[in-house]
Amino acid sequence: IMVSHKEFVGAGKEPGLQVWRIENMDLKPVPKALHGNFYTGDAYLLLFTTAAPSYNIHMWLGDECSQDESGSAAIFATQLDDFLGGGPVQYREVQNCESNTFLGYFKSGIKYKKGGVASGFQHVVTNDTNVKRLLHIKGRRAIRATEVDMSWGSFNKGDCFIIDLGKDVYQWCGSECNRFERLKASEVAIDIRDNERNGRAKLHMVEEGEEPAAALGPKTTIAPSTPDDEKVDSSNRKKGALYMISDASGTMKVSSVAPSSPFKQAMLSPEECYILDNGVDKNIFVWKGPKANMSERKAAMAAEDSIKLKSLFPLQIQVLPAGAETTMFKQFFSDWKDKDQTTGPSKAYTIGRIAKVEQVPFDASTLHSNKAMAAQHGMVDDGKGKVQIWRVENGEKVPVDPSSYGHFYGGDCYLILYSYRVGREQHIIYTWQGLKCTQDELAASAFLTVKLDDSMGGSPVQVRVTQGQEPPHLMSLFQGKPMIIHSGGTSRKGGQSQTSSTRLFHIRQSSSRATRAVEVEASASNLNTNDVFVLKTPSALFVWRGVGASDEEMEAAKHVVGFLGGNASQVSEGKEPADFWSALGGKKDYQTSKSLQNMVKAPRLAYVCSNRFVLCCSVSQVEEVPGDFTQSDLATDDVMILDTWDQIFLWIGNEANAEERTGAPKIAKEYVDSDPSGRRGLPITTIKQGAEPPTFTGWFQAWDPKMWESDPLDRIRARF
């Protein structure tokens, strides 16, 4: 009998993160403003839902949580997994040993607080100014802020610390800490001010040796910096043992399948459950065969517990249903093959989704009855419901003229209310935020969304959309017309800025056949062989069709031409007239990879290096960026891999250190050579931040060449 907790009613209903704390053997939601705060004496349950939808369930255990609390968290995790149909991937997280997937949810870092529910500590947003605590900030990409004793003895020269005194929050920087540690510590300080104090605290930056009269008493000698404890001996990395859990003989047995990796995919029978023990690398995987019975699944979890008990260190545990295997799991198999995934005008792929579903061609007529297809394509219906659009203006919402529906300007914010009927009337509020709108408009758009939602009884689904990240369903609301996104400007009367005399629109179709036209810089380097572009100059209008473009993209171009005005000349790739190239500033290299047209797999972007990754030279530490990647996912203090399946790009951030730069090519080669699909000898292109060729930028829609011009440290300091 499936047990359903009252907190599960809203679980997984919309994309994003939900967090509960175990309190008196029950679930208590943690306010959103306090996500990322964890009491070390407690256990937590987290659910992350993607737009697909797919799910990650995380059970987090503090160092000082009780056996009862950890047991309750495990039970609730299992119940939530059952409630969501057994499809989620489950993670067991231990304080200071969290998975990168978990850490990725908290861009401003995670904070470990002393105490817990047993000692009366509650998760409440407060303006309490009587706080007195010291936080030790560790980590570069993933930040951990740990509460330590409030004394000079807790400090060292190599790290940043935050002295939180309620009204005043001091960021102390040791003389040997680097700029990225400063950047991350600033993010934590800003998060404390904005979320924990509701903006009612003053931030201060303090350098070692320049401390004001402190709350810590007379200053003592500061300890030297501590060595990086993340450098591990990786000689045993990728060593794993595979066990099968089965009751086929009449009694439940745990039997060894293979004592060490690599394994063969055929070793996994769909009727059984398996445990892959990679304890030497602090990882345990439980694989659930799709036809395994409930007894075997429970036995697998019990066996996992016994491995845990034998371990001398905390383990990361992933529970994987068949079809949702992570990259970390698949690397132990020499011949792993995923089910083929196709793409094109009528097919979709899922990339970075956890729970993969059987690929289903898009058919709008069966959306209401085919839930797998609706989930896969992110479509609740065919977009033919009622649409109302408002522009945010002077803190209010002003109706947009229906004749201009579908046009969105980068200097504006919009509210789109979509109403449709599937059994009962349902609503979605899309909050579209332009990249060039003001901070006031951003804040007003969030406030007006809540106000509209409240006026409708809190029933609508809210979707916040940043310019360039429009989901397929939003793109489908304009009845066969493309969604047209202007790079800047505004649609408000009298507020329009003068548009450029030469404009270029990039037209691309989504998996659900909706199209989007995005205004990009008028440069030949922005062309893409797989898409259609509309180019308007003072004297001419061109529709350029790439070799791999679809008829639907050409149809969408007619609407862009109609808006721009004039008679367009059709230009086929490879047959461009001279005035076409001159309007774009001359002929330049652009994205011409044919693999995009008939691609079996989608491109992947992955973090490849921090210092410890290079020292380990371990492909298992390549961490994929989840979901659809954007330019902002490129970490400037890192080396990253863009894998487009017929070639590999190594992107080197300007702040990556010498060890990372020299070690990265070796990892890239190992990444290709160890790929289970059998790819070998792919070209590996190394490129530098700020000098990206179009063969690289073409994989990112609407690449912004000016993004790198400002220092992230300066940007965040301006927020103090």
Side-chain angles (χ1 to χ4, degrees), residues 33-51:
L34 298 178
H35 284 184
N37 288 271
F38 296 92
Y39 284 106
T40 58
D42 289 333
Y44 293 78
L45 185 69
L46 297 86
L47 173 66
F48 183 76
T49 305
T50 73

Side-chain angles (χ1 to χ4, degrees), residues 7-205:
E7 284 294 330
F8 296 168
V9 175
K13 289 290 190 290
E14 56 185 70
L17 185 67
Q18 292 167 274
V19 183
W20 298 272
R21 180 165 71 158
I22 308 300
E23 296 189 10
N24 300 318
M25 309 308 139
D26 200 3
L27 290 176
K28 182 79 179 290
V30 174
K32 197 165 188 176
L34 298 178
H35 284 184
N37 288 271
F38 296 92
Y39 284 106
T40 58
D42 289 333
Y44 293 78
L45 185 69
L46 297 86
L47 173 66
F48 183 76
T49 305
T50 73
S54 62
Y55 312 99
N56 289 347
I57 294 172
H58 300 262
M59 175 176 68
W60 185 91
L61 307 176
D63 279 350
E64 294 151 15
C65 84
S66 70
Q67 199 68 37
D68 286 345
E69 287 169 329
S70 64
S72 294
I75 290 168
F76 285 128
T78 303
Q79 290 176 354
L80 181 56
D81 181 77
D82 289 342
F83 181 80
L84 295 171
V89 173
Q90 292 183 48
Y91 296 78
R92 177 183 179 271
E93 311 285 359
V94 178
Q95 182 182 336
N96 284 310
C97 194
E98 295 88 355
S99 65
N100 278 355
T101 303
F102 180 89
L103 295 169
Y105 304 144
F106 308 104
K107 298 300 183 188
S108 298
I110 57 177
K111 306 183 196 76
Y112 299 139
K113 296 182 170 183
K114 289 182 176 179
V117 67
S119 43
F121 291 95
Q122 298 299 321
H123 280 289
V124 287
V125 181
T126 174
N127 301 321
D128 183 11
T129 54
N130 296 320
V131 179
K132 192 174 181 182
R133 61 176 177 166
L134 178 64
L135 297 173
H136 182 189
I137 313 300
K138 289 288 281 185
R140 296 177 74 240
R141 188 163 61 245
I143 322 163
R144 290 180 172 89
T146 306
E147 189 174 348
V148 293
D149 289 338
M150 188 93 169
S151 74
W152 286 112
S154 297
F155 287 72
N156 73 71
K157 294 176 178 288
D159 290 327
C160 291
F161 291 78
I162 288 176
I163 302 101
D164 181 4
L165 301 178
K167 286 183 181 178
D168 293 283
V169 178
Y170 295 88
Q171 177 184 329
W172 182 93
C173 304
S175 56
E176 296 172 20
C177 74
N178 65 43
R179 63 196 309 274
F180 295 102
E181 289 166 332
R182 292 166 180 261
L183 178 69
K184 299 302 186 185
S186 297
E187 290 175 1
V188 176
I190 289 169
D191 185 67
I192 291 171
R193 177 193 66 190
D194 294 350
N195 288 320
E196 294 189 37
R197 300 294 137 68
N198 283 326
R200 295 178 176 88
K202 187 170 177 58
L203 300 184
H204 309 268
M205 185 76 68

Side-chain angles (χ1 to χ4, degrees), residues 448-597:
L448 291 170
T449 299
V450 172
K451 192 174 176 182
L452 178 59
D453 182 75
D454 287 345
S455 73
M456 303 180 73
S459 64
V461 171
Q462 295 180 33
V463 183
R464 194 183 76 173
V465 179
T466 303
Q467 178 181 341
Q469 302 296 312
E470 295 77 17
H473 185 257
L474 175 57
M475 291 160 56
S476 76
L477 302 187
F478 308 107
Q479 304 312 309
K481 298 178 182 178
M483 185 175 187
I484 300 175
I485 299 168
H486 305 259
S487 67
T490 174
S491 59
R492 66 183 66 181
K493 287 181 180 175
Q496 288 91 340
S497 53
Q498 185 68 38
T499 56
S500 172
S501 59
T502 300
R503 305 180 73 186
L504 182 65
F505 285 85
H506 178 183
I507 299 171
R508 179 176 288 178
Q509 185 182 47
S510 78
S511 62
S512 60
R513 299 181 188 164
T515 48
R516 173 173 56 186
V518 180
E519 186 175 5
V520 295
E521 184 185 354
S523 166
S525 63
N526 280 325
L527 297 175
N528 191 312
T529 193
N530 304 286
D531 301 323
V532 170
F533 288 77
V534 176
L535 171 65
K536 180 173 174 59
T537 74
S539 58
L541 187 61
F542 300 96
V543 175
W544 182 88
R545 179 172 185 160
V547 172
S550 68
D551 291 340
E552 290 90 345
E553 288 166 340
M554 284 296 290
E555 192 63 30
K558 293 179 183 177
H559 295 284
V560 180
V561 167
F563 162 72
L564 293 172
N567 295 314
S569 305
Q570 290 206 14
V571 177
S572 296
E573 183 177 6
K575 298 179 180 177
E576 298 85 357
D579 54 341
F580 175 84
W581 292 120
S582 61
L584 291 174
K587 197 169 183 177
K588 296 174 186 169
D589 289 338
Y590 61 87
Q591 173 61 271
T592 56
S593 172
K594 302 294 189 296
S595 66
L596 275 168
Q597 296 165 39

Side-chain angles (χ1 to χ4, degrees), residues 256-275:
S256 174
V257 177
S260 65
S261 54
F263 311 123
K264 298 286 186 186
Q265 192 172 359
M267 292 175 178
L268 300 176
S269 164
E271 286 82 17
E272 315 295 355
C273 287
Y274 294 81
I275 287 178

